[in-house]
Amino acid sequence: MKVSVMQENLARGLQIVSRAVSSRSTLPVLANVLFRTEDAGLKLTATNLEIGITCWVPGKIDTDGAITVPARLITDLVNSLPSGDKVDLDLQGATMLRIRSSLGETHIKGIDAEDFPAIPTAGDRPTSRIAQGVLRRALEETAFAAATDEARPILTGVLARFEGATVTLAAADNYRIAVKTVPLLDPVEDTSIVVPARSLTELSRVLADSDMPVDIVLAPARNQILFHLESIDLVSRLIDGQFPNYQTVLPKGHATRAVMDRDDLLTAVKLAALIAGTSANIVKLQVGGAEGDAGTGLTVTANAEVGDNEGRVEASVEGDGTTIAFNARYLTDVLQNVDAEQFALELNGPLSPGVFRPIGDDQYVHVVMPVRTAS
Amino acid sequence: MIGIVTSAPARTILHVDLDAFFAAVEQRDRPELRGKPVIVGGGGPNDRGVVSTASYEARRFGVRSAMPLRTAAALCPDAIFVPVDGRKYVAESRIVLGIVRRFTPLVEPVSIDEAFLDVTASAALFGSGRDIAVAIKAAVHAETQLTASVGVASNKLVAKVASDLRKPDGLVVVEPGDEAAFFAPLAIGRLWGVGERTRAALVPYGVRTMGDLAALPEDLLVRGLGPHAATLRARALGIDDDPVSDGGPAKSISHEHTFDVDTADPEAIERTLLAMADGVAARLRAAGLMAGTIHVKVRDSSFRTITRQRTMPEPTDLTEPIWRAALELARPEIRGRRIRLLGVGASNFERPTQIGLFGAAEERRRLAIQASDRLRRRFGDGIVVRARLLDRRLPAPFERDVMRPVDRGTLGTFGREREKVEPVEREPVDEDVRFLDASDEAP
């Protein structure tokens, strides 16, 4: 293998694929990045067996070949080289990679490319396409709600339900669920898959905030999903199992509805969380007047051993006044991740789910379960 | 210690410790064993297990608890080996506890063969600490034909050392105010919380006795040994304000298992953790409790003991989350080691307040679990068995101590150090389990 690439291109490629490098694996080769010459450039691949990222770096190939080298080391090394440098990579013997730049040369011991797992890249016709900016925003608004603990593995994933010309993304842990429906560029056959939220978080990092499409290739037989961007392929395993039927937990109506500015509510909740965070992190919302009394505004309160807090939020309230308590983190999560000027909060009393809807986006809904309080 | 001196009236604390308990029970029930060296534990001199208890006759040959049976056989070739009969000892232990509870309701069983009693308020009825100790010893002997050694002092720490001093059938009274003088000449190793490591760390200071330790300036000790040295020095002076806990509501529930033979087999370890998680979960449900914290205890073949704990994302009383947490906590600690003991515990009991999103499914699972709980109560534990635990010769999980609802102190201030010096395993009720009964052994 003998190939020349520009430092900044190689550094960018390594930065992208190294997100998939396995930090703790029993398989040493998974801590490495695969370098392989392909077509008119260098193909970089890394995987932790859950997700695989491939990135094509333009370059000039003298001879073909492949090698894997430790990801951390090669990334740090290339980042330390001057930008604008031409970097020459060539194999010395079977498993030694020589890196030459204006600063001299480095040799890094690698592992044979044959030992690296096969990572599929896009070759198949895409199942569908979606605008990158649209998918990116939908992922930002949903993936955070997925469970992080493995108690129910299915909930560590995001449900993607393809229906005609739309895909609905749903993510939930035991206490909240985020659902967003977005348009596809090509209609598809109805199908549902569950993609690890971690994979989608990585995907949203590489998605551009633009209308450029990302290809989606579904290979259900191989239990994988592949996203193809211009110079990047991201493949993820899917999670087996049945995602809970989220439609049954979305409330059908409401007794109370408050509309307020996102920033006002977020600020009030964050303040209250300073107090609440010292114990169970529970904040109470008083919406409208007390006990069915129609009133205006919303009050956020927190009580703990260290002290208490009460904050007022301007809101237009319809329906019965009510109080409800939530884990503050679930409120800050939805208010921070969903981009909207205003939110509607729909309630059905203190023990029923609270529904957050961004004003102006009827394709998104977020349900948070309340906390039972003593009083 | 927090340095505010209060003038609380002196307490009267008794530590009651049955002498060579398991061996004594066997010698009582089998007259042919009396006066002979008896070793309780395992399957005999060629078994790979360890000594649970040795009779005083066997101890004269150097046989000690926790010693491999083969070593014991070599030291004492005439020893008679007797298998452990956990059920019998538990029954006996209950009788003794019944006796001491006649004198005070403030009884804290520490293990199967020892308990702390707070008799401060019993003086008007039963007399001084010494009077009560004498009465308890007499009653125990009359009703069980066993002997107990009793220490009387103003706190648990001193009472425990006192009971140990004149075994067997001893009675040592330390008057209030005499604690430091009583401790001063005693070897530092007698102090609760001093293990090999601490002892070694104290060597450069010339510390051999508790008096030596007490005489050292506190700041010097803290600089050299770390913050716990201040507590250690206070203890060397015989200062201890730990109350006798009469149980009260349980603070933790835990199960432990000592392997017959130390193991590194991941499958055996996982299954054992599962069995214990299952047992802990069942007891949580039986008590109507949800645990917010799960801990594991791992002891390896070199007696290094580690406890690890984790706060759960939500309180639980179900096997799977407890098992999963236990596995994750134990995994880094078992790698590359031969494991002697595993324990799984639950604490930090709380009521769940966060309402669940998918409550319906959870509810159905809970109903299934409750149904199997009812089946087990009615027909015995074997009626419903997890598939993974089926057909395996694994002992049923058992409590750390059947009579001790509260595992106080297992995660106490001294942490590892204290765990390490405890040479005692006391797991009742199971034929597969080796009993170690080392508490009444002179160190």
Side-chain angles (χ1 to χ4, degrees), chain A residues 151 174-175 244 369-372, chain B residues 313-314 324 353-358:
Chain A
N174 277 324
Y175 309 120
M369 296 305 292
V371 170
R372 203 188 304 265
Chain B
E314 58 186 297
R324 212 172 296 114
T353 52
Q354 171 74 59
I355 300 168
L357 191 59
F358 306 109

Side-chain angles (χ1 to χ4, degrees), chain B residues 17 153 157 228 230 260 276 283 338 353:
Chain B
D17 197 352
L157 177 70
H228 85 285
D260 285 359
M276 290 188 292
R283 280 177 62 206
R338 298 190 63 78
T353 52

Side-chain angles (χ1 to χ4, degrees), chain A residues 23-182:
Chain A
S23 51
R24 27 156 212 237
S25 168
T26 47
L27 219 56
V29 77
L30 294 185
N32 285 12
V33 174
L34 172 66
F35 285 59
R36 186 185 290 282
T37 57
E38 197 175 277
D39 302 332
L42 181 64
K43 187 177 89 169
L44 306 177
T45 306
T47 182
N48 57 18
L49 300 182
E50 174 169 283
I51 179 174
I53 305 180
T54 301
C55 185
W56 283 267
V57 177
K60 184 174 153 294
I61 301 171
D62 285 335
T63 50
D64 281 323
I67 175 76
T68 80
V69 284
R72 186 69 163 286
L73 184 55
I74 187 74
T75 307
D76 288 349
L77 176 77
V78 172
N79 281 339
S80 305
L81 299 178
S83 70
D85 246 24
K86 181 165 76 78
V87 182
D88 296 324
L89 306 166
D90 65 320
L91 265 186
Q92 307 267 292
T95 57
M96 184 75 82
L97 181 69
R98 179 167 69 170
I99 302 108
R100 282 186 300 172
S101 72
S102 67
L103 293 186
E105 64 177 64
T106 309
H107 297 86
I108 294 180
K109 225 192 282 180
I111 300 176
D112 199 312
E114 292 298 305
D115 293 349
F116 201 81
I119 304 298
T121 52
D124 307 326
R125 210 166 53 81
T127 311
S128 184
R129 292 175 310 139
I130 185 168
Q132 289 192 30
V134 169
L135 180 57
R136 182 169 146 174
R137 182 165 166 195
L139 291 176
E140 280 166 1
E141 291 176 348
T142 51
F144 71 88
T148 48
D149 72 294
E150 301 278 336
R152 286 182 73 186
I154 194 81
L155 293 183
T156 63
V158 175
L159 171 75
R161 191 168 141 181
F162 295 87
E163 263 178 314
T166 64
V167 59
T168 299
L169 301 175
D173 62 16
N174 277 324
Y175 309 120
R176 50 149 172 210
I177 181 164
V179 183
K180 170 98 176 183
T181 302
V182 288

Side-chain angles (χ1 to χ4, degrees), chain B residues 65-402:
Chain B
S65 299
M67 181 180 274
L69 289 167
R70 289 179 210 190
T71 313
L75 285 170
C76 184
D78 296 331
I80 302 161
F81 287 82
V82 179
V84 175
D85 186 350
R87 280 170 225 284
K88 189 157 75 180
Y89 312 142
V90 168
E92 215 59 44
S93 180
R94 291 220 162 101
I95 294 172
V96 173
L97 273 178
I99 293 169
V100 301
R101 288 205 168 103
R102 291 175 206 158
F103 296 89
T104 174
L106 279 175
V107 175
E108 178 185 341
V110 183
S111 70
I112 192 165
D113 61 356
E114 55 176 320
F116 287 109
L117 284 58
D118 185 335
V119 297
T120 313
S122 309
L125 286 170
F126 302 107
S128 69
R130 179 187 293 275
D131 295 342
I132 294 172
V134 168
I136 286 174
K137 281 165 62 76
V140 168
H141 193 255
E143 293 172 43
T144 67
Q145 298 158 52
L146 298 171
T147 62
S149 293
V150 182
V152 183
S154 62
N155 63 50
K156 285 161 71 172
L157 177 70
V158 178
K160 167 124 177 141
V161 173
S163 76
D164 203 35
L165 213 59
R166 303 249 167 82
K167 273 181 158 292
D169 204 15
L171 170 57
V172 173
V173 181
V174 181
E175 297 296 339
D178 291 351
E179 294 86 358
F182 168 69
F183 266 12
L186 299 177
I188 191 71
R190 280 190 183 265
L191 194 59
W192 208 18
V194 174
E196 269 316 312
R197 216 158 7 128
T198 307
R199 210 182 323 196
L202 287 169
V203 166
Y205 298 90
V207 171
R208 274 185 49 255
T209 64
M210 297 200 219
D212 295 341
L213 177 59
L216 289 175
E218 186 175 303
D219 54 343
L220 178 83
L221 277 173
V222 170
R223 262 202 309 279
L225 275 76
H228 85 285
T231 322
L232 198 63
R233 182 171 169 277
R235 288 168 155 262
L237 285 163
I239 298 169
D240 169 41
D241 57 5
D242 193 22
V244 171
S245 158
D246 58 346
K251 291 194 186 87
S252 84
I253 288 178
S254 66
H255 285 189
E256 288 185 3
H257 174 65
T258 304
F259 290 100
D260 285 359
V261 177
D262 299 351
T263 183
D265 173 15
E267 169 68 14
I269 288 168
E270 283 193 13
R271 250 188 294 116
T272 304
L273 288 173
L274 175 60
M276 290 188 292
D278 207 27
V280 167
R283 280 177 62 206
L284 284 169
R285 292 194 297 272
L289 296 168
M290 304 280 256
T293 304
I294 299 303
H295 18 100
V296 296
K297 181 167 167 184
V298 178
R299 178 171 299 156
D300 68 14
S301 45
S302 64
F303 267 83
R304 194 183 77 118
T305 305
I306 286 169
T307 56
R308 291 276 177 271
Q309 60 175 320
R310 163 179 302 178
T311 303
M312 303 294 281
E314 58 186 297
T316 185
D317 60 358
L318 300 177
T319 302
E320 277 79 8
I322 295 175
W323 183 42
R324 212 172 296 114
L327 268 180
E328 284 167 21
L329 287 168
R331 229 172 235 144
E333 311 305 335
I334 59 181
R335 204 161 287 151
R337 300 205 175 89
R338 298 190 63 78
I339 302 306
R340 170 182 184 77
L341 172 144
L342 287 171
V344 174
S347 65
N348 190 11
F349 303 131
E350 48 189 286
R351 288 266 119 229
T353 52
Q354 171 74 59
I355 300 168
L357 191 59
F358 306 109
E362 198 84 326
E363 208 41 51
R364 278 197 301 276
R365 197 174 326 166
R366 187 164 293 280
L367 286 175
I369 287 161
Q370 283 166 351
S372 61
D373 280 349
R374 281 196 298 276
L375 279 170
R376 284 176 177 174
R377 269 200 298 278
R378 189 153 166 204
F379 300 107
D381 284 347
I383 193 77
V384 188
V385 180
R386 283 179 174 274
R388 185 132 194 231
L389 299 176
L390 207 58
D391 287 336
R392 314 275 187 183
R393 250 186 65 78
L394 198 86
F398 44 81
E399 300 171 40
R400 179 187 156 82
D401 183 320
V402 281

